[in-house]
Amino acid sequence: MGIYRDLGRSPGVFGILFAQLTARFPFGMLSIILLLHIEQAYGLYTYAGIVLACQSFGQAIAGPLMGRLMGVFGMRPVLSITTLVCSALLIAIAWVHLPLAVVAAMAFAMGIATPPVTPAVRTIYPKMVPGHQLSGLFSLDASAQEIIWVFGPVVAVFVSSQFGTEWGLMVAATFMLFGGLWFIATKAVGRVRIPQARRRFGAVLRHPTVVIATVAGFLFVASFAALEAGIVAIFGHGALEAGVVLAVFAGGSLLGGLLIGHRQMRPWSMLLRSLVVLIGTALCLFSFEAWWLSVVLFLGGLGTAPMFAALSTTVSATVKFSETAESYGWVGTGQLVGVALGSAFAGVAIDQYGPIGAIIVSIVFLMATVILSASCMRIIPDLQGRNATPIPDTEPVQLPNAAGSHVSD
């Protein structure tokens, strides 16, 4: 635990951690709020799934593209424009009742304008702390991310059930706008310059580790989105038990992240961590009582934040610094698409089979995560005795030869 004390001694670390957490918090709320908002407005979870799928398609395009653009135009301009546009579209969806096709188009545009906070902050981290502390910082970030993905739905369910889904969307827009401005104003965002990548867009996907982290993140987060939708369906829109169960799940994840996530990653780390989550989720099938769900999801949560830390560490340790923003863009796209599609599949399953359908969808996604982690152990880096600092970019260096002229090395 001393690693977190050491991180606190690095100037600006906790400030940027809290700023990016606030800016990213709405994305833990949006899938559930949009699911409830569209279902109540149009009558079917399936329609909500269509809107979420459009949003996810936009996010799939935006994630790596915005990461790339930050290397061209700088972080602050890209973050500022996307934050303002995405917030405005969210407010419009909340208050203007339009045909479903128009709302779906707005959701797609909102996905395109998703602020690239995640690739920005994870590109900044290696410039803020020594290499031997980077795994600990990724672990702390992963624990914070769990606040987003698990406490976000708690806030979403509470506000939507007490004041209406319109106000739930307004709360999300407020977090996005003011959290984004806070993050943009931090010194680190202005100080760190992402080198312009030399290779064409998408070339980072030649790194097997980037593909693994993207696909694993998609499957892993989709399972949570389906699980959260199932929990809400079990207890109903207005019941606070859903929020309590999800909060306990978050508590297990936070504890797991702080105790386990900073440990040096080994090739089998992703397998063990995802397996813990699978076991906890599968045990939900034995009872839908709130106390039982709280117990088993707390246990499953112990592997959640450590799994996210492993994904970030895998990417950081295997790509060049100039490629980190785009790489994290792809990983972030996988996770955001996972949220949307996990909720969409869960919505259809709830319409057809009830809450148990969403739980089964979650289990299927987790089983796929475990299988992927097991099959990729030969590719995942062994960081025993190593740090996760990105590979430095190199420039041609002019060296004098014996005759006094220069040659490139």
Side-chain angles (χ1 to χ4, degrees), residues 263-275 303 306-307 310 373 377 380-381:
R263 297 180 181 275
Q264 291 180 314
M265 199 182 72
R266 308 302 302 274
W268 57 83
S269 295
M270 284 175 52
L271 172 61
L272 293 180
R273 296 172 188 187
S274 58
L275 189 60
M307 179 64 173
S373 300
M377 284 195 293
I380 297 169

Side-chain angles (χ1 to χ4, degrees), residues 43-408:
L44 284 176
Y45 280 107
T46 301
Y47 291 158
I50 292 172
V51 172
L52 287 169
C54 290
Q55 182 200 13
S56 71
F57 184 58
Q59 289 172 326
I61 298 171
L65 178 61
M66 293 302 171
R68 184 79 169 205
L69 290 177
M70 286 192 294
V72 178
F73 299 107
M75 283 190 276
R76 277 183 170 157
V78 175
L79 287 165
S80 299
I81 293 171
T82 53
T83 297
L84 292 173
V85 172
C86 196
S87 300
L89 287 168
L90 189 55
I91 294 170
I93 290 175
W95 296 108
V96 182
H97 189 79
L98 296 167
L100 182 65
V102 177
V103 175
M106 292 172 67
F108 172 76
M110 189 172 69
I112 288 285
T114 300
V117 177
T118 301
V121 74
R122 291 180 183 169
T123 299
I124 290 170
Y125 283 158
K127 298 298 183 180
M128 298 188 72
V129 300
H132 68 276
Q133 294 181 358
L134 194 53
S135 293
L137 184 52
F138 279 133
S139 175
L140 200 58
D141 179 86
S143 297
Q145 181 171 275
E146 273 311 285
I147 295 175
I148 296 169
W149 296 126
V150 185
F151 274 116
V154 174
V155 175
V157 170
F158 175 78
V159 174
S160 298
S161 63
Q162 299 300 311
F163 305 102
T165 55
E166 296 87 355
W167 286 104
L169 291 171
M170 285 297 296
V171 169
T174 301
F175 272 109
M176 182 182 298
L177 183 60
F178 290 100
L181 293 176
W182 179 16
F183 178 69
I184 292 166
T186 58
K187 292 181 180 179
V189 172
R191 187 170 59 245
V192 175
R193 171 69 182 175
I194 302 173
Q196 189 167 346
R198 300 172 188 166
R199 298 198 296 171
R200 63 178 176 78
F201 177 72
V204 296
L205 294 177
R206 294 178 181 174
H207 294 288
T209 52
V210 176
V211 176
I212 292 169
T214 300
V215 177
F218 160 73
L219 296 170
F220 202 54
V221 173
S223 73
F224 298 143
L227 178 65
E228 288 157 4
I231 296 298
V232 171
I234 288 170
F235 297 106
H237 290 178
L240 294 180
E241 288 92 337
V244 172
V245 171
L246 293 174
V248 172
F249 185 27
S253 179
L254 288 171
L255 182 61
L258 294 175
L259 295 179
I260 303 170
H262 65 279
R263 297 180 181 275
Q264 291 180 314
M265 199 182 72
R266 308 302 302 274
W268 57 83
S269 295
M270 284 175 52
L271 172 61
L272 293 180
R273 296 172 188 187
S274 58
L275 189 60
V276 169
V277 185
L278 172 60
I279 293 171
T281 304
L283 290 173
C284 292
L285 295 175
F286 287 90
S287 173
F288 285 168
E289 293 291 333
W291 70 268
W292 173 257
L293 293 174
S294 297
V295 170
V296 297
L297 289 179
F298 178 83
L299 296 175
L302 293 174
T304 304
M307 179 64 173
F308 283 120
L311 297 178
S312 297
T313 303
T314 297
V315 173
S316 180
T318 56
V319 302
K320 292 182 178 180
F321 179 67
S322 62
E323 297 175 334
T324 53
E326 185 184 340
S327 298
Y328 285 126
W330 287 106
V331 176
T333 288
Q335 294 180 10
L336 290 169
V337 171
V339 171
L341 293 187
S343 296
F345 288 142
V348 174
I350 291 169
D351 283 337
Q352 296 295 320
Y353 306 106
I356 194 171
I359 305 299
I360 292 174
V361 169
S362 177
I363 292 170
V364 170
F365 276 121
L366 283 171
M367 289 176 64
T369 307
V370 169
I371 293 171
L372 175 65
S373 300
S375 63
C376 296
M377 284 195 293
R378 292 184 178 180
I379 301 173
I380 297 169
D382 188 345
L383 298 181
Q384 181 71 34
R386 298 169 51 198
N387 63 55
T389 303
I391 301 168
D393 289 274
T394 58
E395 299 283 353
V397 178
Q398 297 295 322
L399 300 176
N401 62 18
S405 60
H406 292 76
V407 295
S408 295

